[in-house]
Amino acid sequence: MMDGVKLVGTGSALPSRTVTNDDLAQIVDTSDEWIRTRTGIGERHYCTPDETHGQLALCAAQRALGDAGILAQDVGICLVATFTSTNATPSTACLLQRDLGLNEDTLCLDLNAACAGFVYALHVAEQLLLDSPRPYALVVGVDAVSRVLDFTDRSTCVLFGDGAGAAVLRAQADASPLYAAWGSRGDDMSLCAPNEVDGTAVIPRLRMDGRAVFRFATEILPACAKRVLERAGIEASQIDRFVFHQANQRIVDLAVKKLGVDPARCAGNIAHTGNTSAASVAILLDELCRTGALASGERALCVGFGAGLTWAGALLERA
């Protein structure tokens, strides 16, 4: 009988091409000072023509399985959170099933909740494990946002990067549930990627109302974190690490102030990753685990928010 899940492995992957603020200043009217003071971003990573969305997902997944010390055949659920999948179909998750050698009865699907997608997928995986033939779920967040950016729009193109992160959850009787919280507002104007005609091709292009997104994010991030704490019946002081979506350092700083928690427990990585959308929380979670900042038995409160407008929070315990 499953009571909950524990985090047993993490992994991440960033493309080989590093793009600095000075690099972007060569193609759009901006500067390193302008970007850093408004976002906290110093650099981000873009896929080269030889690097693909699927390769990033595969690399992060392999590292997470290795960290968990399990085989591909131990996985019962494979979920991929993304909005930039290379194919409309088949899903990235189905291709991961092939590339990793997962069993054919593994439940594989993609989930699109934009930057909240990875945290959404954690909760979906937890529920699906109730009926899984095996106790492990592989959850991947991956986006190649550089492929949908408008490099004439300095308000958006400086914010985003590409990357992938993955986590392995294990269902077990003595584990706590994720105490997940989530929601959406059905907003298709504040942050979206509508299909646009470019010559003979139809390509999604990211569009954002920065002020509207900032207001939404600074409201919903602390509210979602508080909802998770309420569901868990604990105080913020009992959380070891807060793992917030890395959208903008100013958003995180304001949320931390509203929550009244120690900023040292909310350390991020936006300075060298930028906003990696569905991969953001997963990449940061892996960095915290790899550096020992999130140790065995410690708890992390994860919150993602993004286009939709969507949000999700979950409480993870590291095995």
Side-chain angles (χ1 to χ4, degrees):
M1 179 67 179
M2 184 188 89
D3 291 331
V5 296
K6 287 192 177 183
L7 176 69
V8 295
T10 61
S12 61
L14 295 173
S16 59
R17 181 188 174 195
T18 302
V19 180
T20 67
N21 293 340
D22 288 332
D23 292 332
L24 288 177
Q26 302 302 309
I27 60 174
V28 69
D29 182 18
T30 191
S31 68
D32 177 68
E33 187 273 340
W34 191 93
I35 298 170
R36 285 183 187 272
T37 56
R38 288 164 176 79
T39 70
I41 300 170
E43 62 184 34
R44 72 288 290 150
H45 297 259
Y46 289 170
C47 288
T48 66
D50 296 328
E51 293 172 318
T52 69
H53 175 275
Q55 288 170 346
L56 287 176
L58 176 62
C59 184
Q62 289 172 328
R63 289 172 176 170
L65 293 177
D67 186 49
I70 65 171
L71 301 174
Q73 291 73 30
D74 297 323
V75 174
I77 307 294
C78 176
L79 304 183
V80 175
T82 187
F83 85 96
T84 60
S85 182
T86 304
N87 308 304
T89 190
S91 68
T92 302
C94 283
L95 297 181
L96 264 183
Q97 182 270 330
R98 176 197 66 192
D99 295 340
L100 289 171
L102 305 180
N103 292 334
E104 289 189 356
D105 65 343
T106 303
L107 194 158
C108 301
L109 60 88
D110 285 2
L111 185 155
N112 181 358
C115 304
F118 176 75
V119 187
Y120 256 95
L122 291 175
H123 179 53
V124 174
E126 177 189 32
Q127 299 305 304
L128 290 173
L129 279 171
L130 288 167
D131 195 36
S132 171
R134 292 170 293 280
Y136 293 96
L138 172 65
V139 182
V140 180
V142 55
D143 271 313
V145 192
S146 66
R147 303 276 167 86
V148 300
L149 291 177
D150 177 355
F151 284 96
T152 67
D153 180 4
R154 74 169 185 171
S155 67
T156 58
C157 73
V158 302
L159 301 175
F160 295 90
D162 304 341
V168 176
L169 303 181
R170 181 179 66 213
Q172 57 188 77
D174 63 343
S176 298
L178 295 179
Y179 299 108
W182 59 88
S184 61
R185 291 185 179 170
D187 183 325
D188 64 348
M189 300 298 291
S190 299
L191 180 56
C192 56
N195 288 326
E196 298 181 0
V197 178
D198 185 359
T200 59
V202 177
I203 301 172
R205 286 288 180 233
L206 198 69
R207 301 287 180 236
M208 183 176 72
D209 179 339
R211 291 183 179 179
V213 171
F214 191 88
R215 289 194 300 269
F216 160 73
T218 52
E219 168 208 338
I220 208 65
L221 198 168
C224 185
K226 289 177 181 177
R227 177 59 177 150
V228 174
L229 292 171
E230 289 170 0
R231 298 197 68 181
I234 60 175
E235 301 294 326
S237 60
Q238 295 173 265
I239 300 298
D240 299 290
R241 287 286 171 175
F242 292 86
V243 186
F244 297 144
H245 168 48
Q246 301 293 286
N248 183 310
Q249 190 59 50
R250 290 169 62 197
I251 291 173
V252 173
D253 289 345
L254 280 172
V256 169
K257 186 176 181 180
K258 287 184 177 181
L259 286 168
V261 297
D262 182 359
R265 291 188 286 137
C266 310
N269 61 2
I270 195 171
H272 69 268
T273 64
N275 181 344
T276 55
S277 187
S280 168
V281 170
I283 292 172
L284 178 54
L285 189 64
D286 178 51
E287 290 187 11
L288 293 172
C289 289
R290 282 189 289 108
T291 59
L294 183 66
S296 176
E298 292 186 331
R299 293 183 291 190
L301 198 164
C302 304
V303 179
F305 53 89
L309 294 164
T310 58
W311 63 92
L315 184 60
L316 276 174
E317 181 179 347
R318 191 177 182 196

